[in-house]
Structures are given as structure tokens and as C-alpha cells.
Amino acid sequence: MSLRTVRTLRAALTGVVAMAALATAALVSPAAADSGTGETHRGTQRAIEAAVRDGVPGVVAQAHDRDGTWSGTAGVANLRTGRERLPQDRFRVGSITKTFVATVVLQLEAEGRLSLDDTVEQWLPGVVRGHGHDGRRITLRQLLNHTSGIYNYTNDPGFLAKVFGDGFFRHRYDTWTPRQLVGLAMGHSPEFAPGTAWKYSNTNFVLAGMVVERVTGRPYGSEIERRILRPLHLRATSLPGTEARMPRPSGRAYSKLSEDPKAKIHDVTELNPSAAGAAGEMVSDSADLQRFYRALLKGDVLPRRQLREMTTTVPTDPKEPYNRYGLGLMRHTTSCGTEVWGHGGGIHGSASEALTTRDGSHSLALNFNGDWAGDSEAVVEAEFCG
């Protein structure tokens, strides 16, 4: 469900380190409790410490429930200096960006400026054409719930060669335009006829960002800032555009840029996020992500009808009946039956999750600063199932 590296990143752009000379205990730092609720989050703390033992350089997690806010950290933010991860660290959130983009589209629908049943062709004439793609047959709703069948540009071999593996170091500062990214997808055949199946495609949300710009006359990032970030006071959240550096405070991001478990670990913190664009460029922190998803699910961001549209889901993988997908929003059922809503996101050296219960009473956001190890699902299970 995310832009995750390396296995998942290669498949969808979707996600410490083995430092044998250091004892595991030296890589694990104690939890930092904001409101004395650490006792109820011991399992979550153990889960993030297990991720560090598995090879993730550092983890930050924060949860909010009726008892207050708890923050937990483990490992390091910087392998060179040994600086520990901080609860307020900012990080690249990858595909979590998609929920913000979908929210803006739904706000525009509420204002009568577009319809989810509009075709892509109506707003982007001639853009979705080639090798069987036809924007006249694809609706905006199908972009947002990944039933469009449009090829995922991050699977394009040429793109993979430049953005991942050794090509990363030659191309990490390259700027990609939305037209270029969509053009990569148009060079391939669709995955299926629109509306007949489900498959995650980052191209869908690059197109959604282009639609926002066409409707409003302003970049999708500006609309997210105006409509969501400012009203909700999400001051740690930003859309960097082509800016390669991370805002402070933040740690480093690490990747092996390879599926070989013995591959060298690289610092991949600096990169031009235009390669992800509206599918995954955003930077945030754990507190902001929770605040956004709680407000969204409680109905503070969208009118009731649009929130109902957003939370109307379709099945994803028959092998994963516990996962369903709405409009830029995932519904996940945990092993104990708790239903949570949110999204995951991965981009070079950064894997994140942000989830909340439907009533917004219990939320979790977390980040791994390495993309080849660790089990974020174990952290989610520990938090929501105890």
C-alpha cells in the first residue's frame, strides 16, 4: 500500500543497521513518554526495539488514545554521529501523501468544481493515451481507488535504472515533471480494463495532482497547504517540490539500494522528491500525521458525503482480505479485529505508517529510517491489539 523500498519500492516506489561492532543494546534507546502512558504501550516499544535488532537504524513511533500521547524511540537517527531518534524528527512519508491529495480532490467535489465520475480526459485531454490507455474510459474515482488499470510508472525499467540501484547516485538530484512520469506509464500497456480489478499505481496520483492543478489553477502542493496544513496547524508537514534537503529536526535515511542482504548501506537522505510527486513527495512527523488522520476520520476535513465516498472501499488482494482500499485511504483489520484507517508510505531510506480508528480515538504513526528491514505490521499489531 505504500511507496516502500527496496523490494516494495521496486514494485511500487510501494519500503541499524547491521553494525556488528555495536551491541544491540547500544542501538536501542528507551521510550520517551509525553504523558505518563508508557505502561500501556510497552508492547509497541518492544516492537520498535525488535525492528532495530532486525537491522533498522532507528525508529520513532507515537500513539494517541484517550489516556494521552505516548512517544517511543529506538536506535539512531545518524549512524555516523550516533544521535538518537527524537519524537519530533521529520521524515519523508512517501505514499501517505496520497491521502492528502485525495482529500483535496474530494473537497473540490464538495464545492461542485468536479465530479468523481468525471473522466480523466475531461480534465487532462490527451494525457492518458498510448498502448491501450484511454483517459475517456477512466474516472477520477478510479484514479483514487486504484481501479483505473493505468500502468505504474515506478515499474518502468528505465526509471528503475535511474532512480534505484547504482543509478541513484547519478540521478538523485534530477527533476521529474508530472508529464514525464505519466509519459513513462503510457509507454506500457494497461494492467486491466478500467474498473475490472485493483492494482496499486503511483501514476494514478500523479494524474490526480495534475487534475487539482487544472481545476484550481494552482499546484496541488499549494492547495494541500491552503486547505489542510494551515487549517489543521500541521507545521511540521511540507511539500518540498524539488528541494533535496530535509528540514530540521530530522535524521538521516539509509538504504542498501539492492535486494542483496549483504549489500552496502548508503546514506540516501538527500534526493529530489519530484520522482514521487503527488504520489509521495511529502515530509511530516508523527504528531502531524496523527492529527491529520484523526481530523479526517472524525469529519473535520470533509463533508459527510465526501467522507462516505472516501471510506467506501474495494478489495485489494484476495490473499489479504484484511486490507481494503477507499479513495487514497486504506482500511486494515488487525488480528484482534480492530479496524484502522490510514496509509503506509515508503521512499528511499524511509518507511512509514499512519493509522487511526474510525472514531479517531486511537491513532499511531511511525517511521523506520531504513528500507530493507523491520516489521511495521508488528508495531501496528502491538499498539492496537496489545
Side-chain angles (χ1 to χ4, degrees):
M1 295 299 185
S2 52
L3 272 177
R4 285 196 199 188
T5 56
V6 168
R7 259 188 324 275
T8 317
L9 183 68
R10 285 183 175 275
L13 204 131
T14 49
V16 162
V17 155
M19 300 270 299
L22 295 177
T24 298
L27 290 174
V28 179
S29 58
D34 288 341
S35 57
T37 62
E39 288 295 315
T40 61
H41 301 276
R42 281 185 174 181
T44 311
Q45 180 66 31
R46 287 194 295 266
I48 66 175
E49 291 171 359
V52 171
R53 289 193 295 271
D54 191 43
V56 179
V59 183
V60 60
Q62 188 181 91
H64 182 86
D65 58 22
R66 290 184 174 91
D67 294 324
T69 299
W70 167 88
S71 294
T73 61
V76 297
N78 188 314
L79 288 171
R80 182 178 58 82
T81 66
R83 195 270 266 180
E84 295 179 351
R85 294 215 70 175
L86 303 173
Q88 63 269 33
D89 275 348
R90 300 181 187 186
F91 44 83
R92 299 189 192 278
V93 305
S95 283
I96 292 173
T97 307
K98 290 179 171 66
T99 311
F100 289 79
V101 173
T103 299
V104 171
V105 173
L106 286 161
Q107 288 180 342
L108 292 172
E109 188 204 37
E111 295 165 8
R113 301 176 71 178
L114 57 75
S115 167
L116 292 177
D117 296 319
D118 289 347
T119 65
V120 176
E121 182 73 12
Q122 286 175 249
W123 293 106
L124 304 173
V127 173
V128 179
R129 294 287 179 87
H131 291 86
H133 288 97
D134 187 349
R136 296 170 298 184
R137 300 173 58 212
I138 299 169
T139 67
L140 301 186
R141 186 191 310 275
Q142 290 167 340
L143 293 182
L144 299 183
N145 67 11
H146 295 297
T147 62
S148 70
I150 295 174
Y151 182 85
N152 184 2
Y153 76 89
T154 57
N155 289 339
D156 175 78
F159 182 86
L160 287 171
K162 287 185 176 182
V163 176
F164 309 111
D166 291 339
F168 171 79
F169 298 102
R170 296 190 300 275
H171 298 283
R172 67 194 300 174
Y173 300 114
D174 290 359
T175 293
W176 298 80
T177 68
R179 284 275 187 158
Q180 284 178 304
L181 300 178
V182 174
L184 292 174
M186 295 303 104
H188 300 267
S189 298
E191 298 289 348
F192 48 80
T196 63
W198 184 93
K199 191 165 186 179
Y200 195 89
S201 174
N202 290 302
T203 315
N204 288 324
F205 276 79
V206 172
L207 288 163
M210 294 171 70
V211 170
V212 169
E213 183 165 355
R214 181 61 61 91
V215 174
T216 66
R218 290 180 289 270
Y220 70 87
S222 297
E223 287 299 295
I224 289 174
E225 290 174 5
R226 185 172 72 88
R227 293 168 173 270
I228 302 174
L229 305 189
R230 292 174 194 163
L232 294 181
H233 306 290
L234 305 183
R235 297 185 178 90
T237 305
S238 61
L239 292 105
T242 60
E243 173 57 57
R245 294 170 298 180
M246 285 289 293
R248 295 181 179 179
S250 61
R252 310 302 292 175
Y254 299 97
S255 178
K256 293 189 177 183
L257 295 171
S258 169
E259 295 182 23
D260 180 359
K262 297 181 180 179
K264 180 182 177 181
I265 296 164
H266 302 280
D267 185 324
V268 294
T269 308
E270 290 192 1
L271 58 86
N272 184 329
S274 63
E281 72 157 285
M282 189 174 281
V283 170
S284 190
D285 71 359
S286 298
D288 271 14
L289 292 178
Q290 290 181 92
R291 189 177 303 122
F292 167 65
Y293 278 107
R294 288 197 305 266
L296 178 65
L297 272 295
K298 289 168 66 176
D300 296 338
V301 182
L302 289 173
R304 184 176 301 176
R305 187 172 74 82
Q306 278 67 37
L307 183 57
R308 186 167 59 248
E309 293 276 13
M310 187 178 229
T311 54
T312 298
T313 60
V314 296
T316 57
D317 186 340
K319 297 178 182 178
E320 299 181 355
Y322 44 84
N323 285 330
R324 293 180 66 89
Y325 203 89
L327 303 183
L329 188 69
M330 179 187 70
R331 189 186 82 187
H332 174 73
T333 304
T334 65
S335 63
C336 61
T338 301
E339 187 179 278
V340 291
W341 296 79
H343 216 288
I347 193 166
H348 299 70
S350 182
S352 309
E353 300 283 347
L355 300 161
T356 185
T357 51
R358 182 63 180 81
D359 64 359
S361 65
H362 188 180
S363 59
L364 169 72
L366 65 97
N367 174 259
F368 293 176
N369 64 355
D371 59 32
W372 69 92
D375 182 2
S376 62
E377 179 64 20
V379 184
V380 173
E381 285 285 318
E383 179 60 32
F384 291 103
C385 294

